[in-house]
Amino acid sequence: MSRILRLNMTDRTFGWQDVPVAWGRLGGRALTSRIIREEVPPTCHPLSRANKLVLAPGLLTGTPAANAGRISVGGKSPLTGGIKESNSGGLVSSKLARLGVKAVVVEGKPDDGRWSLVQITRDGVEFHPAEEYAGLGNYQTMARLWERFGKGVGVVSIGQAGEKRLTGASIHFADPAGRPGRAAGRGGLGALMGSKKLKALVVDDRGTPAVPLADPERFKQAARRWAKCLKEHPVSGQALPAYGTAVLINIVNEAGALPTQNFRRGRFEFAEDISGERMAELIKQRGGKTKEGCHPGCVIQCSQTYLDKDGKYLTSGFEYETIWALGANTLIRNLDEIAVIDRLCDDYGLDTIEMGCTLGVLMEGGIIPWGDGAAAIEMVKKVATDDPWGRIIGNGSVFTGRALGVDRVPAVKGQGLPAYDPRAEKGVGLTYATSPMGADHTAGYGVAVNILGCAGGGDPLKKEGNVELSRNLQVATAAIDSTGLCLFVAFAVLDNPDALPCILEMINARYGLSLTGEDITALGSQVLKDERSFNREAGFTKAHDRLPEFFKEYLKPHNVTWDFTDEEVDRVLEGF
Amino acid sequence: MSRILRLNMTDRTFGWQDVPVAWGRLGGRALTSRIIREEVPPTCHPLSRANKLVLAPGLLTGTPAANAGRISVGGKSPLTGGIKESNSGGLVSSKLARLGVKAVVVEGKPDDGRWSLVQITRDGVEFHPAEEYAGLGNYQTMARLWERFGKGVGVVSIGQAGEKRLTGASIHFADPAGRPGRAAGRGGLGALMGSKKLKALVVDDRGTPAVPLADPERFKQAARRWAKCLKEHPVSGQALPAYGTAVLINIVNEAGALPTQNFRRGRFEFAEDISGERMAELIKQRGGKTKEGCHPGCVIQCSQTYLDKDGKYLTSGFEYETIWALGANTLIRNLDEIAVIDRLCDDYGLDTIEMGCTLGVLMEGGIIPWGDGAAAIEMVKKVATDDPWGRIIGNGSVFTGRALGVDRVPAVKGQGLPAYDPRAEKGVGLTYATSPMGADHTAGYGVAVNILGCAGGGDPLKKEGNVELSRNLQVATAAIDSTGLCLFVAFAVLDNPDALPCILEMINARYGLSLTGEDITALGSQVLKDERSFNREAGFTKAHDRLPEFFKEYLKPHNVTWDFTDEEVDRVLEGF
């Protein structure tokens, strides 16, 4: 039976809790958001003792289901002040599931301010002093922890940004090569982990049996069909394995929705230089790897190993969002410079989307020149030093805007906007405005329908149908985020009528249930209700479901504006 | 007839507007808040073109009424994100009134980013280029403007902090000696003025007739009685003229409500060293002046000229709040060091309360040592330089807390707490929590009753009666802030039954009205309604009417805590 593991950082003790009946069918985001909703005072300071950090594998994690190895991380966000779920790949999720840990709840904080690391194995839970790792980046931390605890153990860690409790800080998860390219990036949860003085979690599932399945044969059949669904879809079966998510650079640029120079226009004239095609070409030339999974059981393999021009490892998990944020948004067109910043962000533990928006604001304020990759690299390096600029930019785009008196800041609820201009992809724009997470493309990815043409397609430039699209996707995504499945399964789910039945079949075979599609929708709805009610009590209103005023400007090349009325925006999550 | 002057900073033009009937009986805060409520989109970015800065003399300003020379400054606050009214003394208010200007509304901002100054005289309004003043502090700015436009003209200006749009920036008003010791300090309105690229307003009333009075004889009688009320009250007639507002240091310390070391305890062992009595002694020793008015017609004279040990002018308008914030709160016990910081704040244009709370947070975060005045001075000096620390601390306590990952930050709605611990002066604590202004003692000064014993007195340590006290004082204060009267008239109003009738009589004699006490209460209520409804639409809820969690700690010496329930707090402004 799975249990809840509670880590009390105040006195460095732990306890096991049986899963309350009401939480029994929850996993991933559904569980993190429920625990935060029930246990964290919505008006508390996000860095205070009262906040909690929750990590939860999904309902299918640990099973042989393809792409089910995601982990949800939740808390009151130090960046937005609202509830947050950010999810990641990496090794840890399936190991926790195999160890029978349904969630880890990190509580309290130590009066002596000393760092700990917590080791979770088949034999129990142990707190270790971690002062020796303080000040290290994620690369070194993970390398040292593999050395100490064994190659292949799961590691969750924060870098210097999380240690400093900077609200742009992310939490990193070792990938199968022991690198920190995987992150719960958004919402500053690294600062929350830092406030608990928890430098790292080490999760070692050696010696544990496989996750129990109520009906192994039924599961096996469904899992086989499921993997086929993923491999047969052109996005998850071909485009992502070939070029990674960066395949989107040319596509979104073509659609006129690639935010360029701090959301001034929708096309970047040098998009080709930073495209997925260009990246794949460089990787091949230099002897890197174009295809890698972020967790065992991934059949999509959208990650990669990116080498520098001398053939030395530079970065991995080099995503479209990252390349856009640090590239088109800042006018930096040199992929190697962008890769260096990505590497620094992974090492210090910084959200690359937030950092890209932040660099755009720094350029807006005249602190560094547009397109100057070398200057951007020097600025980012300050995060790991005592330089106060590091404290400014490490706190994200809105914070940096305030430091500079810049009012052109692309953010909602304090979180920087991702890589699709809301004027030229109105579906995801509504998600930015209304998601309880703040501006987040993964919370309801209209792009899949409007730009990538899934589910019959839509018109990204027109308002029609997008209120419903954003709402339906937000509900569906909340459900998927609760299963432990990677969001990239959504392409198959949208286009292949066999995909959703496969997911249901796997869940039912895992737990001996007979859930229907309606139950899954109800789960997604319940997640949004938990999250929205937390946010309401934390002080969020409709006024926070708004894009910045400057999106009233017309966007080239399509000359489109953000033309939704407040009433239309408010209809997206009405009733939640 | 008075008119509204609109300054369009986008194209540097101006226009005169007849006063709409609905605004006819509004002045000061009632007028600024009404204009902001009606004309500023509540969700706009405070530094965007859509925000407006409004300056309005009160209903009695410009008349011979004693202490009627205050000016209200309003806008959407760059510090809190809510509506703001901050008022100040100085020369400008009565000059605007004599020029027939009921309000100045500053709108738009220039695309070329160039600085202007605006000159208002009997002959009209003129925009002048002001690049030559950019980068100057308020002391030099005011001196140069007196040199250029004539000694004695009214000046409103911002220093380097406002120019940089830092959200702790204040707006300064020349006092009768041409010094910037008078400020609309709170809420970062200096940043709003800076965003408009308005370096200064020069107001010259030479050649204007006296303000018209509907019934001069009736006015004269009432004004004479009124001045007597002020002079006869022991606070406004004796304590304030003798020691300035700093007379409160020993009184509040004695009451155990002097927040010491970032609100850790209620008594400062070196209070005597920074007391009003000590200040008066030093001023006399060094040949300064213990008594000065901040505007013509002041009979209280709570200002002063504070000289350094060599007899050179150091500062003026050296208030209790300032001395507490920069002194007891930071453990700095050297009055000269505190005076230097006050001088720097006046020069750069920084709110001293916010800066004191910010220095406390810097010390909390270990950036400078507790009680180290020299280190604090060096930090404050960075605000006028390119050092990024200046950008951090100039943005106030909450911002600095986030930069440092410090969660012990004494603030409500983003604004730092003033000089009375809410646990040991519960009446003002409720005002901090609920005022639409954020933490603000002047919005409903329970101290007058609970600690100074006005209106029969109260118990500052007990909850009883304070919900009603805070509500009634907030309504009454909103009305007083609309008259142009200095808040220190409140002592007489609370204790002398003739005071309120005098105020009514003067307003009626000025305008030919027959307002009653109920009308004045209705005016105050309407102000709060305007402000609360703006804030609601800007996204404020009950969740924002809360003190930080750490006020649950017990405060020495009385071992009191913040023991109001949320429901009790919410009753304070229920219905507004």
Side-chain angles (χ1 to χ4, degrees):
Chain A
M1 275 297 286
S2 290
R3 291 179 298 173
I4 309 285
L5 171 61
R6 294 196 180 254
L7 302 178
N8 181 340
M9 303 306 297
T10 305
D11 53 12
R12 301 190 186 92
T13 57
F14 67 95
W16 291 101
Q17 175 193 10
D18 289 337
V19 177
V21 174
W23 298 357
R25 293 192 188 174
L26 306 180
R29 176 173 168 189
L31 186 55
T32 63
S33 288
R34 175 63 57 86
I35 293 174
I36 300 306
R37 175 78 193 95
E38 292 189 0
E39 302 188 1
V40 174
T43 57
C44 76
H45 192 295
L47 302 180
S48 73
R49 188 161 281 158
N51 200 0
K52 300 188 181 188
L53 179 73
V54 185
L55 297 96
L59 290 169
L60 287 171
T61 306
T63 70
N67 288 73
R70 305 286 295 184
I71 189 159
S72 287
V73 188
K76 173 165 170 156
S77 165
L79 186 74
T80 71
I83 199 166
K84 175 57 64 176
E85 183 264 3
S86 187
N87 62 65
S88 176
L91 297 174
V92 158
S93 199
S94 63
K95 290 181 194 291
L96 283 175
R98 287 171 65 102
L99 285 159
V101 179
K102 196 169 170 76
V104 180
V105 184
V106 186
E107 309 179 328
K109 59 174 162 178
D111 288 323
D112 63 9
R114 295 182 70 79
W115 291 100
S116 294
L117 77 85
V118 174
Q119 181 193 12
I120 307 170
T121 66
R122 189 183 59 165
D123 301 324
V125 177
E126 214 169 328
F127 283 76
H128 301 281
E131 291 298 314
E132 63 191 289
Y133 306 102
L136 295 187
N138 286 307
Y139 271 95
Q140 266 202 284
T141 301
M142 287 184 181
R144 290 215 199 163
L145 293 176
W146 268 27
E147 211 172 286
R148 174 170 170 187
F149 294 103
K151 201 171 159 178
V153 298
V155 180
V156 187
S157 68
I158 54 173
Q160 296 91 340
E163 288 185 18
K164 293 181 182 194
R165 304 176 297 284
L166 304 177
T167 57
S170 41
I171 296 178
H172 288 253
F173 293 80
D175 71 9
R179 300 172 310 205
R182 296 290 134 188
R186 310 231 66 194
L189 294 173
L192 172 51
M193 187 159 156
S195 75
K196 304 292 183 205
K197 304 301 281 188
L198 178 62
K199 176 69 179 175
L201 277 176
V202 171
V203 181
D204 184 350
D205 65 342
R206 277 176 290 190
T208 54
V211 162
L213 300 173
D215 186 339
E217 188 51 35
R218 190 176 160 205
F219 193 96
K220 195 170 149 190
Q221 296 300 330
R224 196 170 294 156
R225 275 162 50 210
W226 169 243
K228 199 160 159 275
C229 290
L230 297 180
K231 285 184 188 155
E232 281 178 356
H233 194 281
V235 175
S236 47
Q238 294 158 36
L240 290 172
Y243 304 114
T245 55
V247 68
L248 286 169
I249 291 278
N250 280 334
I251 296 170
V252 178
N253 192 52
E254 188 55 36
L258 188 74
T260 301
Q261 199 179 17
N262 195 22
F263 290 80
R264 271 195 178 66
R265 41 191 193 282
R267 277 211 185 123
F268 181 38
E269 54 173 336
F270 302 107
E272 192 58 53
D273 295 354
I274 60 168
S275 66
E277 292 81 349
R278 174 76 180 138
M279 178 169 81
E281 187 183 284
L282 284 174
I283 290 176
K284 285 175 196 157
Q285 271 175 20
R286 296 169 177 182
K289 281 166 77 179
T290 53
K291 267 205 251 192
E292 271 177 32
C294 76
H295 64 277
C298 168
V299 302
I300 300 178
Q301 306 272 309
C302 71
S303 194
Q304 64 293 105
T305 297
Y306 185 92
L307 309 181
D308 69 13
K309 60 180 172 29
D310 304 319
K312 263 181 59 189
Y313 172 82
L314 191 49
T315 196
S316 59
F318 196 25
E319 306 291 349
Y320 163 68
E321 299 288 336
T322 301
I323 295 170
W324 157 76
L326 305 169
N329 189 53
T330 64
L331 304 187
I332 297 173
R333 55 186 272 206
N334 179 322
L335 202 56
D336 286 340
E337 288 176 342
I338 297 170
V340 168
I341 304 177
D342 180 49
R343 158 68 177 257
L344 293 173
C345 287
D346 287 346
D347 199 29
Y348 304 158
L350 288 165
D351 176 19
T352 54
I353 297 176
E354 198 61 45
M355 183 48 72
C357 289
T358 302
L359 291 172
V361 171
L362 273 184
M363 290 167 176
E364 195 73 57
I367 304 299
I368 57 174
W370 289 105
D372 189 337
I377 290 168
E378 288 315 304
M379 281 305 286
V380 174
K381 281 185 176 169
K382 295 181 195 289
V383 173
T385 72
D386 284 335
D387 190 309
W389 275 117
R391 293 185 187 273
I392 292 174
I393 67 172
N395 271 300
S397 56
V398 171
F399 192 87
T400 301
R402 202 165 135 189
L404 304 181
V406 165
D407 65 326
R408 188 187 179 89
V409 180
V412 177
K413 299 184 180 72
Q415 182 167 287
L417 255 60
Y420 313 86
D421 196 291
R423 291 163 290 192
E425 207 310 77
K426 295 195 156 58
V428 84
L430 288 172
T431 301
Y432 295 164
T434 59
S435 168
M437 298 299 143
D440 180 355
H441 61 296
T442 70
Y445 190 62
V447 182
V449 173
N450 288 331
I451 293 183
L452 300 177
C454 292
D459 186 336
L461 306 178
K462 297 232 168 73
K463 299 202 292 184
E464 285 66 37
N466 278 309
V467 167
E468 296 70 26
L469 179 66
S470 174
R471 179 197 306 132
N472 294 339
L473 288 174
Q474 288 194 61
V475 171
T477 304
I480 289 180
D481 287 343
S482 305
T483 60
L485 292 169
C486 163
L487 191 56
F488 295 155
V489 308
F491 305 110
V493 171
L494 285 165
D495 282 339
N496 186 336
D498 195 38
L500 183 60
C502 285
I503 297 175
L504 275 169
E505 186 77 356
M506 292 189 293
I507 295 174
N508 288 333
R510 159 82 167 94
Y511 295 99
L513 298 172
S514 46
L515 301 181
T516 65
E518 278 164 29
D519 292 319
I520 292 295
T521 306
L523 175 68
S525 296
Q526 188 53 53
V527 172
L528 287 174
K529 280 182 188 165
D530 279 345
E531 292 170 351
R532 297 257 294 177
S533 65
F534 181 94
N535 277 5
R536 267 192 295 273
E537 287 190 31
F540 284 79
T541 72
K542 289 175 183 179
H544 301 94
D545 288 348
R546 300 288 177 261
L547 295 186
E549 302 149 278
F550 72 81
F551 286 106
K552 291 282 173 206
E553 293 170 11
Y554 281 81
L555 181 77
K556 288 184 176 172
H558 295 304
N559 290 314
V560 277
T561 182
W562 181 250
D563 50 1
F564 288 102
T565 64
D566 288 350
E567 292 65 33
E568 287 166 333
V569 174
D570 293 339
R571 274 203 287 119
V572 175
L573 291 188
E574 207 165 50
F576 287 97
Chain B
M1 275 295 287
S2 291
R3 291 180 298 173
I4 309 286
L5 171 60
R6 295 197 180 251
L7 303 178
N8 180 341
M9 302 306 296
T10 305
D11 54 11
R12 301 189 186 94
T13 57
F14 67 95
W16 291 101
Q17 177 193 7
D18 289 338
V19 177
V21 173
W23 298 356
R25 293 191 189 175
L26 306 179
R29 175 172 168 189
L31 185 56
T32 63
S33 288
R34 176 63 57 87
I35 293 176
I36 299 306
R37 175 77 192 96
E38 291 189 0
E39 301 188 3
V40 174
T43 58
C44 77
H45 192 295
L47 303 180
S48 72
R49 187 160 282 157
N51 200 1
K52 300 188 181 188
L53 180 74
V54 184
L55 297 96
L59 290 169
L60 287 171
T61 306
T63 70
N67 287 73
R70 304 286 296 183
I71 189 159
S72 287
V73 188
K76 172 165 172 157
S77 166
L79 186 74
T80 71
I83 199 165
K84 175 58 64 177
E85 183 264 4
S86 187
N87 63 66
S88 175
L91 297 175
V92 159
S93 198
S94 63
K95 290 181 193 291
L96 283 176
R98 287 171 65 102
L99 285 159
V101 179
K102 194 167 171 78
V104 181
V105 184
V106 186
E107 310 179 327
K109 58 174 161 177
D111 288 322
D112 63 9
R114 293 183 71 79
W115 290 99
S116 294
L117 78 84
V118 174
Q119 182 193 13
I120 306 170
T121 66
R122 189 183 58 164
D123 302 323
V125 177
E126 212 170 328
F127 284 76
H128 300 281
E131 291 298 314
E132 63 191 289
Y133 306 102
L136 295 186
N138 286 306
Y139 271 95
Q140 267 204 283
T141 301
M142 288 183 180
R144 290 214 199 163
L145 293 176
W146 268 26
E147 211 171 286
R148 174 169 169 186
F149 294 102
K151 203 172 158 177
V153 297
V155 181
V156 186
S157 68
I158 54 173
Q160 296 90 340
E163 287 185 18
K164 293 181 183 195
R165 304 175 298 283
L166 304 177
T167 57
S170 41
I171 296 178
H172 288 253
F173 292 80
D175 71 10
R179 300 171 311 204
R182 295 291 135 190
R186 310 230 66 195
L189 293 173
L192 172 51
M193 188 160 156
S195 74
K196 304 293 185 203
K197 305 299 284 187
L198 179 62
K199 176 70 179 173
L201 277 177
V202 171
V203 182
D204 184 350
D205 66 343
R206 278 175 290 190
T208 55
V211 161
L213 301 172
D215 186 339
E217 188 49 38
R218 189 177 161 204
F219 193 98
K220 196 169 150 191
Q221 297 299 331
R224 197 171 293 155
R225 276 162 49 210
W226 169 241
K228 197 160 162 276
C229 291
L230 297 180
K231 285 186 190 151
E232 280 178 355
H233 193 281
V235 175
S236 47
Q238 295 158 37
L240 290 171
Y243 304 113
T245 55
V247 67
L248 286 169
I249 291 278
N250 281 334
I251 295 170
V252 178
N253 193 52
E254 188 55 37
L258 188 74
T260 301
Q261 198 180 17
N262 194 23
F263 290 79
R264 271 196 179 64
R265 41 191 193 279
R267 275 207 190 127
F268 181 39
E269 53 174 336
F270 302 107
E272 193 56 54
D273 295 353
I274 60 168
S275 66
E277 291 81 348
R278 173 76 181 139
M279 178 170 81
E281 188 183 284
L282 283 174
I283 290 175
K284 285 176 196 155
Q285 272 175 20
R286 296 171 177 179
K289 281 166 77 179
T290 53
K291 267 206 250 190
E292 271 177 32
C294 77
H295 64 277
C298 169
V299 301
I300 300 179
Q301 306 272 309
C302 71
S303 194
Q304 65 292 105
T305 296
Y306 185 93
L307 308 181
D308 69 13
K309 60 180 173 31
D310 303 319
K312 262 182 58 191
Y313 171 83
L314 192 47
T315 196
S316 59
F318 196 25
E319 307 291 349
Y320 163 68
E321 300 287 335
T322 300
I323 295 170
W324 157 77
L326 305 169
N329 189 53
T330 63
L331 305 187
I332 298 173
R333 55 186 273 207
N334 180 320
L335 202 56
D336 286 340
E337 288 175 341
I338 297 170
V340 168
I341 303 177
D342 180 48
R343 157 69 177 257
L344 293 174
C345 287
D346 287 346
D347 200 27
Y348 304 158
L350 288 165
D351 175 20
T352 54
I353 297 176
E354 198 61 47
M355 184 48 73
C357 289
T358 301
L359 291 172
V361 170
L362 273 184
M363 290 167 176
E364 195 72 58
I367 303 298
I368 57 175
W370 289 106
D372 189 337
I377 290 168
E378 287 315 304
M379 280 305 285
V380 174
K381 282 186 176 169
K382 294 182 196 288
V383 174
T385 72
D386 284 335
D387 191 310
W389 275 118
R391 293 185 186 273
I392 293 174
I393 67 173
N395 271 301
S397 56
V398 170
F399 192 86
T400 301
R402 203 166 134 189
L404 303 181
V406 165
D407 65 326
R408 188 187 179 88
V409 180
V412 177
K413 300 183 180 69
Q415 183 167 288
L417 254 62
Y420 313 86
D421 196 291
R423 292 162 290 192
E425 206 310 77
K426 295 196 158 55
V428 85
L430 288 172
T431 301
Y432 294 165
T434 59
S435 167
M437 298 299 143
D440 180 354
H441 62 297
T442 70
Y445 191 62
V447 181
V449 173
N450 289 331
I451 293 182
L452 301 177
C454 293
D459 185 337
L461 306 177
K462 296 233 168 74
K463 298 202 292 184
E464 285 66 38
N466 278 309
V467 167
E468 296 70 26
L469 178 66
S470 174
R471 181 197 306 133
N472 293 339
L473 287 174
Q474 288 194 61
V475 171
T477 303
I480 289 180
D481 287 343
S482 307
T483 61
L485 291 169
C486 163
L487 192 57
F488 295 154
V489 308
F491 305 109
V493 171
L494 285 165
D495 281 338
N496 186 335
D498 194 38
L500 183 60
C502 284
I503 297 176
L504 275 169
E505 186 76 357
M506 292 190 292
I507 295 175
N508 288 333
R510 159 82 167 95
Y511 295 100
L513 298 172
S514 47
L515 301 181
T516 65
E518 278 164 30
D519 292 319
I520 294 294
T521 306
L523 175 68
S525 296
Q526 188 54 53
V527 172
L528 287 174
K529 280 181 189 166
D530 279 344
E531 292 170 351
R532 296 257 295 178
S533 65
F534 181 93
N535 277 6
R536 267 192 295 273
E537 287 190 30
F540 284 79
T541 72
K542 291 174 182 180
H544 301 95
D545 287 349
R546 299 288 177 262
L547 295 186
E549 302 149 277
F550 71 81
F551 286 106
K552 291 281 172 205
E553 292 170 12
Y554 282 81
L555 180 79
K556 287 182 178 176
H558 295 303
N559 290 315
V560 277
T561 182
W562 181 250
D563 50 1
F564 287 103
T565 64
D566 288 349
E567 291 66 33
E568 287 166 333
V569 174
D570 293 337
R571 273 203 287 119
V572 175
L573 291 188
E574 208 165 51
F576 288 96

